[in-house]
Amino acid sequence: SAQVLSVAWERRSDKLLLLGSASGEINVWEADEKKMALQMSSGTAFPRVHDVCPSPDASSLMAACSNAQQSSSLLQAYSMRTGAISQTLEGKGGGSIQALHYNHNGSLLAAGTSDGLLQLYDLRSNSVIMEWSAHKGAALRSVQFGPDETSLFTSACDGTVREWSAHMTGKELWSRQIGSSEAPVSISVSPEGKQLVAALGEQ
């Protein structure tokens, strides 16, 4: 079986597990029933599924897909009912999109790239409305809206965690070095924003 690159829960039901692979497979598993609910594909041109992110209303999932060289990306939204593609956006920049997170109503999508960019997509206009270098060329591992959505948290393969203004492009609010300059860091922020958990990987 292909290497799994991304895993996420569909939080409304807490029963569906989303998986993205290095061969373009996007699978939705029913955890309680231990069976496949949906099988989709990102296509042969963009076979690496770096992240899968369910929409807030659980009607769809967004997949961050790249070519084999990880030099270009595609964002594709799939129906959680039929598996059909409902929206496609070209990734901006020269790297691949590695991490995704929706805002509360699914109108905005934060994306972190392999070359250190943080991007904010408006899904109503299919456009990037904000973009800046968040980690100076280090691949982003996590991106997450803060609980009041006035800020965005990021972590990358540079040992750092950072918080950014969601309204002022490139304005850093807070940062913490928790590992060496090449260590991959993944994060999760609690719903109330009072706690942040960081996992530090090997270089």
Side-chain angles (χ1 to χ4, degrees):
S1 60
Q3 178 188 11
V4 173
L5 299 179
S6 50
V7 179
W9 282 106
E10 188 281 288
R11 295 183 179 275
R12 287 190 63 150
S13 69
D14 209 29
K15 295 178 180 180
L16 299 177
L17 184 64
L18 318 179
L19 304 168
S21 79
S23 65
E25 295 176 359
I26 302 168
N27 296 327
V28 179
W29 282 90
E30 290 188 1
D32 288 350
E33 301 294 328
K34 297 181 175 63
K35 67 179 183 180
M36 189 82 72
L38 275 174
Q39 287 183 293
M40 297 155 285
S41 173
S42 64
T44 56
F46 294 89
R48 297 183 64 83
V49 184
H50 295 283
D51 201 7
V52 286
C53 185
S55 63
D57 65 1
S59 65
S60 65
L61 69 87
M62 187 70 78
C65 315
S66 81
N67 61 358
Q69 298 78 25
Q70 300 188 55
S71 59
S72 62
S73 282
L74 203 64
L75 292 172
Q76 293 198 135
Y78 297 81
S79 167
M80 289 282 283
R81 185 174 62 84
T82 66
I85 296 173
S86 57
Q87 188 175 19
T88 300
L89 297 90
E90 270 190 42
K92 305 299 182 183
S96 60
I97 295 173
Q98 302 280 311
L100 300 172
H101 196 256
Y102 279 104
N103 73 332
H104 75 285
N105 65 6
S107 63
L108 300 176
L109 182 73
T113 76
S114 61
D115 50 2
L117 293 178
L118 178 58
Q119 302 170 326
L120 194 60
Y121 286 79
D122 185 331
L123 298 180
R124 296 161 296 192
S125 63
N126 291 348
S127 62
V128 175
I129 57 173
M130 295 175 73
E131 177 184 81
W132 64 91
S133 178
H135 288 265
K136 296 182 179 179
L140 268 74
R141 296 295 299 267
S142 305
V143 58
Q144 188 172 340
F145 279 95
D148 60 2
E149 298 188 354
T150 61
S151 67
L152 289 155
F153 291 87
T154 61
S155 66
C157 294
D158 60 0
T160 65
V161 178
R162 302 182 186 206
E163 183 183 10
W164 306 89
S165 169
H167 304 299
M168 299 179 66
T169 300
K171 181 175 177 57
E172 186 178 290
L173 304 176
W174 174 86
S175 67
R176 180 67 58 86
Q177 186 82 35
I178 64 169
S180 71
S181 61
E182 297 180 357
V185 181
S186 296
I187 58 168
S188 181
V189 182
S190 68
E192 301 81 15
K194 296 180 179 179
Q195 295 177 310
L196 182 149
V197 176
L200 185 65
E202 296 181 357
Q203 296 181 28

